[in-house]
Amino acid sequence: MRVDIISLLPKLLESPFDHSILKRAQKNGLAEIHVHDLREYAQGKHKQLDDYSFGGGAGMVMMIEPIANCIESLSKDRNYDEIIYMTPDGEKFNQGMANRLSLKENLLILCGHYKGIDERIREMFITLEISIGDYVLSGGELTSAVIVDAIIRLIPGVLSDESSALTDSFQDDQLSPPVYTRPAKFRDSEVPPILLSGDQKKIDEWREEKAQERTRDRRPDLLKD
Ligand code: ADE
């Protein structure tokens, strides 16, 4: 998979993709992530990227030309499966969306700023609008890092133990069971004995039961009936 990200603050995206699983995915050729500086597509001496909102009101609006230039220039080299705009009024991101997007070849993500982007960009170019939750961040960089992480870890071969993506919370509409590691006893607190029993069938049953219990207690909205 290749992901292109258009950003006003490309430096903000230098670190999130340069560690751990995402770094390894790129090194192993399973994912390519390219960040594009929107300012390089702006015109004039001042390379202006934002302007006042027609009709007045507080907050600047990202201008249409630099974004259109950037999207059109990148689209010459490849067909994007989705052109995504990160925005608080987009569709709420979830594991199902991450699964679907992990099957795509080419994604283009536009990070917003200020009061938003000129509406005509959304009408002309954007195929999917994503929100990571009902709160507002200063820009789309951190939110795009969130979805790229969730998507890339699902690409086959990215996780060393592939089954671990399948047992993540939300993957089957339920939360993950509790996990433990050494030492088996810490102060007065002991690991549930079943996990030390070596009886894999019983352990799997216990995990399923705990996952259901946790989902009922914390996220009953995930349960279908
Ligand atoms: N940009 C600012 N806030 C956002 C949010 N909640 N989701 C996606 N992009 C955003």
Side-chain angles (χ1 to χ4, degrees):
M1 169 186 291
R2 176 179 166 122
V3 183
D4 288 283
I5 304 177
I6 304 172
S7 165
L8 218 96
L9 299 170
K11 279 199 180 322
L12 248 182
L13 288 168
E14 275 173 12
S15 172
F17 307 131
D18 202 26
H19 301 277
S20 172
I21 291 167
L22 293 203
K23 183 175 183 174
R24 203 175 57 228
Q26 293 172 87
K27 192 166 149 263
N28 293 343
L30 296 166
E32 262 183 63
I33 304 170
H34 300 269
V35 181
H36 306 273
D37 186 350
L38 187 59
R39 201 164 291 278
E40 287 175 14
Y41 296 84
Q43 288 141 345
K45 204 168 80 195
H46 300 293
K47 301 255 177 208
Q48 189 179 352
L49 289 171
D50 60 325
D51 210 336
Y52 294 100
S53 182
F54 277 131
M60 304 294 274
V61 177
M62 285 171 73
M63 295 164 72
I64 194 165
E65 290 103 329
I67 298 174
N69 286 344
C70 184
I71 293 177
E72 281 171 347
S73 161
L74 295 174
S75 299
K76 278 193 195 121
D77 295 331
R78 57 194 45 81
N79 278 328
Y80 289 101
D81 299 299
E82 297 285 4
I83 301 183
I84 299 168
Y85 173 46
M86 299 306 302
T87 174
D89 61 4
E91 191 180 335
K92 188 93 66 76
F93 190 65
N94 60 22
Q95 194 64 40
M97 214 191 283
N99 289 344
R100 275 197 304 286
L101 291 172
S102 74
L103 303 173
K104 307 290 185 191
E105 279 298 310
N106 290 294
L107 298 178
L108 178 56
I109 304 178
L110 171 64
C111 306
H113 267 273
Y114 316 122
K115 268 284 162 209
I117 57 174
D118 189 305
E119 187 68 17
R120 291 166 291 180
I121 286 288
R122 300 169 80 153
E123 292 161 5
M124 290 166 71
F125 297 103
I126 302 298
T127 61
L128 180 62
E129 302 186 331
I130 297 180
S131 162
I132 63 161
D134 290 343
Y135 42 84
V136 179
L137 279 81
S138 321
E141 281 73 17
L142 299 181
T143 68
S144 66
V146 166
I147 71 157
V148 169
D149 186 308
I151 293 166
I152 286 184
R153 64 193 295 286
L154 295 171
I155 297 172
V158 166
L159 294 183
S160 38
D161 174 7
E162 276 184 47
S163 68
S164 77
L166 299 176
T167 56
D168 282 343
S169 278
F170 305 113
Q171 204 53 268
D172 48 8
D173 284 331
Q174 70 180 15
L175 303 181
S176 295
V179 291
Y180 301 85
T181 186
R182 288 188 296 175
K185 184 168 167 32
F186 175 68
R187 297 179 189 156
D188 287 336
S189 176
E190 288 184 29
V191 167
I194 184 103
L195 296 177
L196 311 176
S197 69
D199 185 337
Q200 199 55 52
K201 188 163 172 287
K202 285 239 160 64
I203 292 172
D204 290 345
E205 281 166 11
W206 180 88
R207 285 186 169 146
E208 178 60 26
E209 192 186 305
K210 290 289 165 193
Q212 286 180 14
E213 200 177 290
R214 193 160 267 200
T215 310
R216 259 196 319 273
D217 287 351
R218 300 181 183 193
R219 293 295 306 275
D221 57 298
L222 294 176
L223 300 170
K224 284 191 189 82
D225 27 68

